[in-house]
């Protein structure tokens, strides 16, 4: 037995074991924060579709108030300012008032870093005011395609 090769073999085995454990940990971490599909079956999609036109109009008005009040802020449950209590039913990850001058984005769910369920608001009178629900369907090739539906317009 050649003793000089033994330490390098042990180091190689330990390195491979550490990589496997790290990959397993990253996978479990991602499943904790990015679980569930981001397609039409997602609870957030169904929840937003279940709102009445009056509820959606009230939501649009409230988001417009936030935009006027906070300008270019990003609201989370732990930020200052935070997502207001009256919008807690959305169970949003965040409300981004800074995405564009007349647009607001509410992220309702995340399925990975770049894929999620969101509401997109046009809030000024210069264009038709709308609430658009967006989700991502996984296609057979394994990539995502964004789909959307206008939930409310005036």
């Amino acid at each position: 037995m050649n003793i000089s090769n033994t330490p390098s073999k042990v180091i190689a085995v330990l390195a491979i074991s550490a990589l496997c454990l790290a990959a397993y940990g990253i996978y479990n971490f991602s499943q904790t924060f990015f679980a569930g599909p981001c397609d039409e079956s997602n609870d957030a999609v169904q929840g937003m579709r279940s709102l009445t036109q009056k509820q959606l109009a009230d939501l649009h008005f409230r988001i417009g108030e936030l935009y006027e009040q906070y300008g270019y802020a990003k609201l989370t449950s732990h930020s200052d300012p935070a997502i207001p209590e009256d919008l807690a039913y959305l169970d949003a990850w965040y409300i981004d008032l800074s995405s564009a001058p007349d647009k607001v984005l509410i992220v309702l769910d995340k399925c990975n870093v770049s894929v999620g369920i969101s509401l997109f608001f046009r809030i000024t009178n210069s264009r038709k005011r709308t609430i658009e629900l967006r989700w991502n369907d996984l296609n057979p090739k394994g990539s995502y395609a964004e789909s959307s539906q206008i939930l409310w317009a005036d």
Side-chain angles (χ1 to χ4, degrees), residues 59-110:
L59 176 60
H60 193 280
F61 180 78
R62 182 67 175 111
I63 295 303
E65 288 180 329
L66 288 177
Y67 184 79
E68 292 297 318
Q69 184 175 4
Y70 298 119
Y72 292 94
K74 189 172 189 177
L75 311 178
T76 69
S77 57
H78 304 294
S79 65
D80 184 21
I83 295 173
E85 300 250 343
D86 64 323
L87 297 177
Y89 72 94
L90 294 173
D91 197 26
W93 281 52
Y94 60 86
I95 299 174
D96 187 354
L97 302 168
S98 64
S99 61
D102 70 339
K103 300 173 185 128
V104 172
L105 176 70
I106 299 179
V107 175
L108 301 171
D109 199 3
K110 294 289 281 179

Side-chain angles (χ1 to χ4, degrees), residues 30-39 41-43 109-112 115-117 136 144:
S30 69
Q31 293 303 306
T32 300
F33 292 100
F34 303 121
C38 273
D39 59 20
S41 68
N42 186 290
D43 290 343
D109 199 3
K110 294 289 281 179
C111 300
N112 66 40
V115 174
I117 310 293
N136 294 271
Y144 289 92

Side-chain angles (χ1 to χ4, degrees), residues 5-23:
N5 287 337
T6 303
S8 61
K9 288 180 182 177
V10 169
I11 291 171
V13 167
L14 289 174
I16 290 170
S17 297
L19 284 172
C20 291
L21 285 172

